Amino acid sequence: MAPRNVPGTCMLCREPVSRRGTLRHVEGCLRSSGWPAGEKPSLIITVQGRYDRSYWLVVLARPDATLEDLDSLIRDVWVECCGHMSAFSIGKESYLSSEEEPGTSMAVSLSGLVSPGSSFSYEYDFGSTTELDLKVIGAIPVMPPENPICLIARNNPPPFPCDACGNQAEFSLFDDEDGTPRFFCRECLVSAEPDPECVEIIDNSPRSGICGYVEDPDAAVYWYPPGWSAEDLASPELEEILENPPGFDPDDGIYPVEDLSVDAEVQSMMDAVCADIGPDIKAFVDEERAAHGELYGAMAGETVTGFCIFTYGLHGKTIREWDVPLVRTCLIEEIAQNPIFPEEWLENAVPILCRFLSSMEAAGGLQNAAELISALKEAEPAFRAAATSREKYQDLSDRLFKRALDAGVDPEDENALMNFVMREVVTMAGMDPDDSGLIEKLEDLFKDDGIVPDSGDLRVSAILFRCEEFCARLEDGTIPGRCGTIVGDLAAHPAAPLSRGDEDLWSAAVVYAACREAGLIRPGKGGTPLAREIGSFFDLEPSSVRNKVAALKKYLPGTPGAED
């Protein structure tokens, strides 16, 4: 825990202040600020962490400010993460943020409830609760010029020692093994070899590290005095390091092929490719990114790497041994089975591979590029047909019926067959097939919605159930509905994206997208606890989930660049 007597900064003059001298200092700044005077005095209120008093705020509240105003300031500056409920306790009364819950509304004047010398308390999130103590320490006939309440002083970031060197830490790194954060300065962060999803700037908040909390300068600056900007509240240097953590190369150029489990065998294939032509692939991907943009650069990396993994690993042929039959087989029978970007990828996969072959010939890596390019172009129609053919996906209905027959189910007994299918769906979703509640729920879904046991409907059902299972742990009741809408849009898309790929990965991506849409996961802020929780629940790497979300968005209506 950080020391209690952490100094702060006056938000009016931006000069340092000691905690004990804050009232005298801000009163002087307020009187010389030129802010309007009022007939009734404004209240000067301190807000501090109940269990860690190194975190403190001083706010100025006009006579007409309400508890809602104070709640909004506390949320935006200090605690908001997932839209949890909050409450003030003043005397024997509780004032709740939700009108749906029994209690007194926060739409009430602050000055009618407290006065100089009054103490009261605040709670945010009744699960992982952040508790704050508040006290009215003074009154002054000066009004905030813009909003009914204004932040006029706050603590400086408390000092956290770097775990490696003991100097001031600036970043926290979530430890997957014991579930606790570790702290690093920018110099020592590189030694930790961090996953970008797990790195965060240390928040200046008593809610740091709890639930999905991440500081939001854009929201906080609304409550600051005139002259402040969101850029003033965020360090560009730290943000740049957060976006590109040391030791992590986003332009590495070697990308795993989606839907391949990176087990020892696949890893050995990737290692063989990297050892032989890894630098050449990276150079090519860099050229593609520079010429066509980030999206197509990533597409080039995935396409070329996947192609090389198949030729090197499955066929045992290095690039110097490629011939026409090999590249045709790899394109039509193997690459076509793993479409990552269904529309753009179909149009660009062969051109990308052709440009790669030309690049490798120019680098001296092969001598028959023209012959191979001609073969790829000739095979492109067959590749597109194979990639878009529903026959390439195993017909799940046929497999389920075969399993039912193998299990001795009478195909004429509709109820027995449906019960078997439902248990298989639940098993597919990674849930307990003996959970009678789930079976009953699935049975109602089949009955009410008229779902028939074909592959598409079964997969959609499995994905929805996995989403609902995760959403049961969230307090935000809007997330299941958001998930349902996203799954519905994906299921209705002509490209039928849900008909292929790992169901758990789809479920995780849907939940992630729904939470981000609700503002529970803010992009560009590192791996929030909620993002990590999604990855842990579905037993997936956060980066895999995030990549799937990027692919998912292309199928949603109203998204720029969405596929028609």
Side-chain angles (χ1 to χ4, degrees):
M1 180 180 293
R4 294 164 61 97
N5 294 320
V6 173
T9 301
C10 172
M11 301 295 103
L12 290 91
C13 69
R14 307 198 186 197
E15 293 294 324
V17 294
S18 67
R19 181 169 179 173
R20 292 183 178 178
T22 300
L23 177 60
R24 183 173 62 254
H25 179 99
V26 297
E27 283 183 332
C29 279
L30 287 170
R31 295 184 189 281
S32 61
S33 65
W35 288 6
E39 294 181 3
K40 295 182 179 180
S42 297
L43 300 177
I44 302 175
I45 304 171
T46 60
V47 188
Q48 61 186 7
R50 175 168 299 173
Y51 303 110
D52 189 347
R53 296 183 179 274
S54 57
Y55 296 102
W56 54 269
L57 308 174
V58 181
V59 300
L60 181 70
R62 281 193 328 222
D64 61 343
T66 66
L67 284 178
E68 282 183 331
D69 296 322
L70 184 54
D71 176 52
S72 296
L73 182 147
I74 293 172
R75 284 174 178 267
D76 289 343
V77 173
W78 251 12
V79 300
E80 182 62 272
C81 62
C82 304
H84 298 294
M85 288 180 58
S86 58
F88 288 99
S89 295
I90 303 176
K92 296 181 180 180
E93 292 288 347
S94 292
Y95 301 83
L96 301 178
S97 60
S98 173
E99 296 180 358
E100 298 177 358
E101 298 293 327
T104 305
S105 168
M106 289 186 182
V108 59
S109 173
L110 186 59
S111 61
L113 300 172
V114 295
S115 59
S118 297
S119 296
F120 54 114
S121 63
Y122 175 87
E123 294 181 342
Y124 175 83
D125 181 5
F126 301 149
S128 303
T129 310
T130 296
E131 300 179 56
L132 307 176
D133 292 327
L134 299 90
K135 185 174 182 178
V136 183
I137 60 172
I140 189 170
V142 178
M143 305 292 111
E146 296 178 350
N147 299 317
I149 193 166
C150 182
L151 178 67
I152 56 175
R154 70 176 300 181
N155 68 280
N156 296 333
F160 287 86
C162 172
D163 286 358
C165 68
N167 293 327
Q168 173 76 30
E170 296 167 307
F171 297 94
S172 62
L173 178 61
F174 186 80
D175 191 326
D176 288 323
E177 293 185 2
D178 60 14
T180 60
R182 299 163 61 202
F183 301 103
F184 293 94
C185 64
R186 66 185 73 184
E187 288 78 14
C188 295
L189 185 63
V190 63
S191 64
E193 299 181 351
D195 180 339
E197 282 285 337
C198 299
V199 180
E200 296 175 354
I201 298 171
I202 297 175
D203 299 310
N204 185 10
S205 162
R207 197 161 175 79
S208 180
I210 300 175
C211 193
Y213 179 75
V214 178
E215 283 188 287
D216 185 352
D218 291 322
V221 75
Y222 176 83
W223 304 101
Y224 274 63
W228 285 83
S229 68
E231 289 72 22
D232 294 329
L233 308 184
S235 166
E237 292 182 10
L238 297 186
E239 292 287 343
E240 176 62 26
I241 294 173
L242 185 66
E243 292 296 327
N244 299 289
F248 173 75
D249 184 2
D251 298 328
D252 192 24
I254 302 297
Y255 300 88
V257 178
E258 188 176 335
D259 293 334
L260 282 179
S261 298
V262 186
D263 54 18
E265 183 180 1
V266 175
Q267 187 61 55
S268 67
M269 296 180 188
M270 295 176 65
D271 291 343
V273 173
C274 293
D276 187 27
I277 56 173
D280 297 304
I281 294 178
K282 181 182 185 306
F284 172 72
V285 172
D286 288 342
E287 292 173 2
E288 290 288 292
R289 183 177 287 108
H292 305 289
E294 185 64 35
L295 175 63
Y296 287 88
M299 193 188 311
E302 291 163 343
T303 303
V304 169
T305 303
F307 195 91
C308 293
I309 286 174
F310 284 124
T311 56
Y312 276 64
L314 297 184
H315 298 278
K317 301 285 188 180
T318 69
I319 194 170
R320 287 164 290 279
E321 302 171 283
W322 289 2
D323 56 24
V324 167
L326 175 64
V327 296
R328 284 181 56 88
T329 299
C330 187
L331 180 69
I332 298 172
E333 297 183 8
E334 286 146 4
I335 287 294
Q337 305 304 311
N338 295 277
I340 297 172
F341 296 94
E343 291 298 331
E344 291 93 340
W345 183 73
L346 285 176
E347 298 173 2
N348 288 278
V350 170
I352 285 171
L353 290 171
C354 291
R355 291 196 295 271
F356 173 67
L357 292 172
S358 295
S359 173
M360 289 302 299
E361 186 173 61
L366 78 167
Q367 298 178 347
N368 58 340
E371 181 183 19
L372 300 181
I373 288 171
S374 178
L376 288 175
K377 290 181 177 179
E378 182 181 343
E380 185 171 13
F383 158 73
R384 291 198 184 197
T388 56
S389 171
R390 294 187 66 86
E391 284 73 23
K392 77 167 186 174
Y393 306 110
Q394 293 182 337
D395 189 320
L396 185 55
S397 292
D398 288 347
R399 290 165 55 199
L400 286 172
F401 280 111
K402 184 177 185 304
R403 288 181 191 175
L405 292 175
D406 292 342
V409 177
D410 183 357
E412 301 298 325
D413 187 340
E414 184 176 346
N415 288 333
L417 184 60
M418 190 60 66
N419 287 335
F420 179 86
V421 168
M422 287 189 292
R423 288 179 62 85
E424 289 292 303
V425 170
V426 172
T427 302
M428 270 192 326
M431 295 180 283
D432 182 7
D434 295 318
D435 187 330
S436 58
L438 285 174
I439 295 294
E440 182 178 352
K441 193 174 183 182
L442 185 57
E443 190 175 52
D444 291 339
L445 184 63
F446 273 53
K447 191 181 301 178
D448 296 340
D449 295 346
I451 295 178
V452 295
D454 65 24
S455 62
D457 288 332
L458 290 174
R459 287 174 63 84
V460 170
S461 299
I463 290 167
L464 276 172
F465 272 108
R466 287 293 273 159
C467 292
E468 290 178 4
E469 188 181 30
F470 179 85
C471 290
R473 61 180 55 201
L474 299 176
E475 293 188 28
D476 190 330
T478 69
I479 302 303
R482 293 175 186 269
C483 290
T485 299
I486 293 172
V487 171
D489 288 337
L490 295 172
H493 197 280
L498 295 182
S499 67
R500 54 191 177 272
D502 182 78
E503 291 158 12
D504 273 352
L505 184 55
W506 274 117
S507 301
V510 167
V511 170
Y512 192 108
C515 290
R516 193 160 71 181
E517 180 183 292
L520 306 187
I521 299 175
R522 297 189 179 100
K525 295 294 183 182
T528 65
L530 181 56
R532 292 194 294 268
E533 186 178 357
I534 292 171
S536 175
F537 180 86
F538 291 100
D539 195 24
L540 295 164
E541 289 296 325
S543 56
S544 298
V545 178
R546 190 172 56 181
N547 289 340
K548 194 67 171 179
V549 172
L552 171 156
K553 290 172 61 179
K554 302 190 307 162
Y555 298 103
L556 300 182
T559 301
E563 299 184 359
D564 298 323

